[in-house]
Amino acid sequence: MNKKVLITGGAGYIGSHAAVTFLEAGYDVVILDNFSNGSADTVRRVEDISKRGLRLIEGDIRDKSCLHQIFSENEVYAVLHFAGLKSVAESVSDPLRYYENNVAGTVFLCEAMEEANVRRLVFSSSATVYGDPVENPVSERCLTGKLSSPYGRSKSMVEEVLQDIAAAKPAWHIAILRYFNPAGAHPSGLIGESPNGPPNNLIPYISQVAAGWRDVLRVFGDDYPTPDGTGVRDYIHVQDLAEGHLSALEAINKRAGLHIWNLGTGRGYSVLEVIRAFEIASGRSINFEIERRRLGDVAECWADPTKAQMELNWKANRSLTEMMTDAWRWQKNSLPSA
Ligand code: NAD
Ligand code: WQD
């Protein structure tokens, strides 16, 4: 019998790519999503790509009875926990919503797992927990810095909750994955990132400018202490990220306790380099203007991925060009949302 994974937030951007990866690797999949930022259509496309069926449950991680029912009806081997709210700006204006959904929601999920004797968990954390990193590349040993948003603090708080669970309950196997900047889409062009309204993130914004949905990209600052003055980030292809989850689950299966891994490429690119790469991939020119720095942004943040490479036998292989090519293919297949 195949092992079954519960994917919370599996109708969203990263969770849907992970669902394809796990189905293709022979796992059975149950997706729990409240569709606050995902859709049943995405899940149908996951089935089309993988040519396998899965169980989709519309529900909420904060709904105890829903969780209880899922764990009693399914023999769940592990949980991949993607469900969460992710807008930095929104979290500043509505912090309670972020703490309730991201922190309380994860606590409910872990309680239901404990009750059901399901103790393997892979959690979507973020490089945002490093704040303004004291050094680059950033390793997992780097102190988690002063955080500028409730979103970042919600990730950091969940990490602490999970540390406490692992310390109190040695039967748990927990992977905390700190993603750098996820980008790109599945090469089929069937699933990708679908921001509601104006995108906050660089690559979806560039894609929409290239497609003519938006007039101009605002480049937030060209006076950072970086080679061309614009912000430097570690963009990682969402497919590499999805594969990192498979490797992480296999690794924690062999080792109990809590483990933290950076998922990044180890290479930083500036905003201007990303624009150029997108122009080449799409054959379109990107209209941009330099603006003032965005509040809360750091000059640079890129990963030391050595620990994941050594312990997970995983490496991000896809290039910036592949990220841009796949992001553009997905963009051309998309319809405007707002
Ligand atoms: P996404 O919004 O596309 O996917 C999240 C999914 O979770 C959505 O489908 C949404 O409907 C669902 N969801 C939200 N709250 C829920 C709840 N209470 N119950 C059930 N479902 C719920 O986001 P994503 O980009 O795929 O991110 C996935 C995870 O990775 C998030 O936890 C995010 O914080 C984290 N992360 C994302 C990035 C990024 O840049 N995309 C970077 C680092 C970490
Ligand atoms: C990248 C670079 C911007 C948009 C955020 C979250 C982080 C994580 C990933 C979830 C920066 C510049 C951007 C634009 C621009 N999410 N930029 N014009 O800020 O590194 O990380 O998403 O966990 O928590 O903070 O990503 O894509 O927003 O920005 O010039 O319209 O692009 O200043 O240098 P960021 P981003």
Side-chain angles (χ1 to χ4, degrees):
M1 204 172 69
N2 295 334
K3 288 176 183 156
K4 191 178 279 186
V5 288
L6 170 64
I7 305 187
T8 73
Y13 173 44
I14 306 169
S16 59
H17 289 78
V20 170
T21 300
F22 276 77
L23 286 165
E24 288 179 346
Y27 285 84
D28 288 340
V29 168
V30 178
I31 286 178
L32 170 64
D33 202 294
N34 67 3
F35 299 145
S36 57
N37 200 34
S39 71
D41 183 48
T42 298
V43 176
R44 274 192 291 276
R45 289 162 180 238
V46 166
E47 293 181 315
D48 288 347
I49 296 167
S50 60
K51 300 190 175 55
R52 291 201 46 207
L54 60 79
R55 178 141 185 235
L56 171 62
I57 295 154
E58 181 176 357
D60 200 291
I61 54 166
R62 292 162 295 177
D63 179 345
K64 285 185 171 191
S65 64
C66 171
L67 291 173
H68 179 76
Q69 193 175 346
I70 292 172
F71 287 117
S72 49
E73 287 176 0
N74 296 278
E75 198 178 317
V76 174
Y77 169 75
V79 177
L80 311 180
H81 178 33
F82 296 92
L85 301 173
K86 64 168 178 175
S87 161
V88 172
E90 201 177 64
S91 78
V92 172
S93 56
D94 199 353
L96 286 175
R97 193 167 152 239
Y98 272 68
Y99 292 127
E100 208 249 335
N101 200 76
N102 294 2
V103 184
T106 304
V107 171
F108 287 140
L109 177 67
C110 291
E111 274 175 356
M113 289 175 65
E114 175 69 18
E115 270 168 34
N117 297 323
V118 177
R119 298 193 180 91
R120 290 184 192 84
L121 175 68
V122 181
F123 172 63
S124 302
S125 190
S126 168
T128 199
V129 300
Y130 295 117
D132 192 354
V134 285
E135 60 180 8
N136 278 288
V138 192
S139 83
E140 293 83 351
R141 287 183 309 279
C142 194
L143 285 181
T144 53
K146 185 171 166 10
L147 305 180
S148 60
S149 75
Y151 168 73
R153 278 189 282 279
S154 77
K155 289 290 169 194
S156 192
M157 285 178 190
V158 170
E159 288 202 3
E160 289 186 31
V161 169
L162 298 179
Q163 300 268 11
D164 289 343
I165 294 174
K169 300 191 177 291
W172 278 68
H173 301 234
I174 300 174
I176 289 179
L177 302 181
R178 292 180 178 157
Y179 311 159
F180 280 65
N181 289 57
H186 192 272
S188 63
L190 290 174
I191 54 173
E193 192 171 8
S194 306
N196 274 325
N200 298 310
N201 294 117
L202 178 64
I203 292 165
Y205 210 106
I206 296 181
S207 306
Q208 295 194 3
V209 172
W213 294 8
R214 305 198 183 270
D215 294 335
V216 59
L217 168 75
R218 294 176 301 154
V219 172
F220 299 130
D222 68 348
D223 56 351
Y224 284 108
T226 59
D228 65 20
T230 65
V232 170
R233 297 290 185 276
D234 186 335
Y235 298 93
I236 174 170
H237 198 296
V238 64
Q239 291 278 105
D240 281 324
L241 203 56
E243 289 163 12
H245 289 70
L246 193 58
S247 305
L249 181 56
E250 283 162 7
I252 60 168
N253 187 33
K254 295 189 201 111
R255 295 198 277 168
L258 179 139
H259 309 274
I260 301 179
W261 289 292
N262 279 345
L263 296 187
T265 66
R267 163 107 213 241
Y269 288 98
S270 74
V271 176
L272 296 181
E273 285 176 312
V274 171
I275 294 173
R276 265 180 235 115
F278 199 96
E279 288 183 327
I280 292 167
S282 65
R284 303 266 174 112
S285 86
I286 306 298
N287 186 20
F288 70 87
E289 284 167 4
I290 307 290
E291 293 234 352
R292 271 191 304 205
R293 293 180 181 190
R294 184 173 63 178
L295 205 67
D297 271 357
V298 301
E300 51 183 324
C301 182
W302 41 284
D304 176 352
T306 315
K307 187 168 182 272
Q309 287 171 6
M310 306 287 285
E311 296 179 1
L312 304 183
N313 196 21
W314 164 91
K315 191 172 184 298
N317 289 314
R318 294 163 178 89
S319 65
L320 187 68
T321 304
E322 272 173 282
M323 294 179 224
M324 300 301 121
T325 305
D326 290 335
W328 179 232
R329 187 184 300 105
W330 163 246
Q331 177 64 45
K332 284 187 290 180
N333 290 342
S334 304
L335 294 170
S337 68

